[in-house]
Amino acid sequence: MSASLRDHPVPALLAPGAATALMEAYRPATDRFLASPRHTLLGRGSAAGIPHGTSPLAHRVRDVLDALRRPDAPPPVVMGSLPFAPDAPPALAVPDMVHWAPPLREDPLVALPVPRDEHRPDWRVREVPSPERYGEAVAAAVARMRAGEFDKVVLARTLELASSREPDLSAMLRRLARRDPHGYSFAVPSGPGRTLVGASPELLVSRRGGLLTANPLAGSAPRSTDLAEDVRRAAALLESPKDLHEHAVVVTAVREALAPFCTRLEVPPRPTLVRTAALWHLSTTVTGELRDPDVTALDLASALHPTPAVCGTPTDVARAVIAASEPFDRGPYTGMVGWQDADGDGEWVVTIRCAEAEGRTLRLFAGAGVVAESTPEAETAETAAKFRTFLHAVGADL
């Protein structure tokens, strides 16, 4: 396995263009690509998979990684995705080789445009559910929340894209990563014949030695191409009672999940803003010091998943509402994607702003947090704004 830049700097990989070179080298089906504000990783081949089972996933991952440790070699790394459903099989593997580079955001070549695709697919688009049905589901959930049954649910919808030719997933990844190089871009196998591609803005949790970081996002507003209007929308989001409440619910859940693992946990009292190409988000960066050095990044991620930002609260009630309201299986959407090494360090990202490719089809996902103050019109518009990032990347702007 190739050396990690964290412990074994490789001068050739520090040259300008190293991160984009790994992105250009990505090949679907066999490779796993992950880019974060800290690292760019390309995994090739598969030395071992993570089995499905009833024991905790973090334990199964630790057992496989420990078995692959070798003296005088960097710790082995697992990469891949985990589904939303806790009992569904993971799509995780230890690559034969992992190449590391600095983050994409520090690579000057990431600003270069992706060459225009002269043979892009002729997409046929189907909305599942329709905007009308989605609005009805939002209205029904709001009525139940106002009656005191639960506090929040995240309801999603999909766009099913079909074409006469297979999409160019490598070009799709490059467009997504170049559109938001400060975020988390990924392309990993998600099952037999399926590939998960996306660019998420949300870090679920990272661990580096005895330190952890989580960055929950909840509450959002569409960007505007007009600078003054864009600033107005950002300022309004920071003062929105509905969005601040939605965000506070998520931050409280993150604090409660992480506190037992920490000797110190710092949670800012008010959110700040982060932006993507399409949206403003309310953001809180949570940091802490671990009580037990054996707690891994995946231990922490498993304790957090699913947060109210992708499911709702109370969790069991929200899951039941999702199952009754969404006419599709989420699969990897709102699960997590990332990496972890045998020392327990790693980064796990919330799987949003993504699509799953299978043959000549793509399924895009987008969701909105529904609280008692929500309206069907606003939540439908929010999902439409979230779809735009991916529609642009696949050349299917509607």
Side-chain angles (χ1 to χ4, degrees):
M1 186 172 296
S2 65
S4 162
L5 287 177
R6 293 166 301 139
D7 305 308
H8 306 276
V10 181
L13 292 181
L14 297 176
T20 52
L22 290 188
M23 184 169 61
E24 296 286 340
Y26 164 75
R27 297 294 177 265
T30 59
D31 291 354
R32 292 167 174 82
F33 177 87
L34 297 168
S36 79
R38 295 185 62 85
H39 306 288
T40 303
L41 294 76
L42 178 67
R44 298 223 128 135
S46 179
I50 304 301
H52 191 35
T54 57
S55 63
L57 176 64
H59 295 178
R60 282 177 273 144
V61 168
R62 185 184 296 114
D63 289 344
V64 171
L65 290 174
D66 284 347
L68 293 172
R69 279 186 182 271
R70 298 292 182 268
D72 302 320
V77 174
V78 68
M79 299 175 67
S81 70
L82 298 167
F84 173 68
D87 56 349
L92 298 174
V94 180
D96 290 314
M97 181 75 69
V98 178
H99 302 280
W100 297 75
L104 280 174
R105 65 179 180 176
E106 296 178 4
D107 190 331
L109 300 187
V110 78
L112 296 177
V114 177
R116 181 178 175 82
D117 184 0
E118 300 297 336
H119 304 287
R120 65 186 188 182
D122 50 336
W123 295 112
R124 300 180 301 280
V125 181
R126 185 168 75 99
E127 297 176 276
V128 181
S130 68
E132 294 76 20
R133 292 287 187 188
Y134 180 76
E136 291 170 3
V138 171
V142 167
R144 292 179 62 183
M145 281 184 277
R146 290 178 178 174
E149 292 187 38
F150 57 99
D151 298 321
K152 176 185 175 179
V153 66
V154 178
L155 295 180
R157 62 189 184 108
T158 70
L159 297 182
E160 294 183 354
L161 278 60
S163 175
S164 59
R165 63 172 65 92
E166 291 192 9
D168 185 341
L169 299 181
S170 298
M172 195 181 301
L173 170 65
R174 294 196 296 272
R175 290 192 188 95
L176 285 165
R178 283 185 158 96
R179 186 173 168 87
D180 283 313
H182 291 264
Y184 300 85
S185 303
F186 51 86
V188 295
S190 54
R194 301 193 301 275
T195 300
L196 179 68
V197 185
S200 174
E202 185 170 2
L203 172 69
L204 181 63
V205 69
S206 69
R207 173 198 185 269
R208 189 182 188 199
L211 303 177
L212 70 82
T213 303
N215 185 206
L217 306 182
S220 60
R223 301 287 305 278
S224 173
T225 55
D226 178 82
L227 178 59
E229 174 62 16
D230 196 43
V231 172
R232 188 199 68 77
R233 292 182 184 183
L237 180 61
L238 275 174
E239 300 300 328
S240 164
K242 178 260 184 188
D243 290 288
L244 288 169
H245 169 68
E246 180 184 342
H247 189 80
V249 168
V250 176
V251 172
T252 297
V254 169
R255 178 195 290 114
E256 291 175 351
L258 293 179
F261 296 99
C262 296
T263 57
R264 176 189 61 82
L265 190 66
E266 294 187 2
V267 183
R270 283 186 60 84
T272 58
L273 289 171
V274 297
R275 63 186 179 185
T276 66
L279 292 164
W280 288 104
H281 293 281
L282 291 179
S283 165
T284 295
T285 299
V286 177
T287 57
E289 295 180 2
L290 290 174
R291 189 183 311 277
D292 182 351
D294 291 331
V295 169
T296 68
L298 192 52
D299 285 317
L300 299 169
S302 298
L304 286 168
H305 177 72
T307 72
V310 298
C311 182
T313 185
T315 302
D316 291 345
V317 178
R319 278 192 182 275
V321 173
I322 288 168
S325 304
E326 296 179 356
F328 56 86
D329 181 354
R330 287 191 177 189
Y333 172 65
T334 60
M336 48 183 157
V337 61
W339 66 274
Q340 179 179 296
D341 67 20
D343 290 337
D345 287 346
E347 298 171 294
W348 295 99
V349 180
V350 181
T351 310
I352 52 177
R353 309 296 191 279
C354 65
E356 192 172 34
E358 185 172 14
R360 299 174 181 176
T361 65
L362 276 176
R363 174 174 280 183
L364 282 62
F365 301 87
V370 180
V371 293
E373 298 82 8
S374 296
T375 65
E377 297 78 14
E379 306 311 333
T380 303
E382 181 176 329
T383 56
K386 291 173 178 176
F387 279 133
R388 287 188 200 115
T389 296
F390 216 96
L391 288 170
H392 173 79
V394 303
D397 299 280
L398 302 179

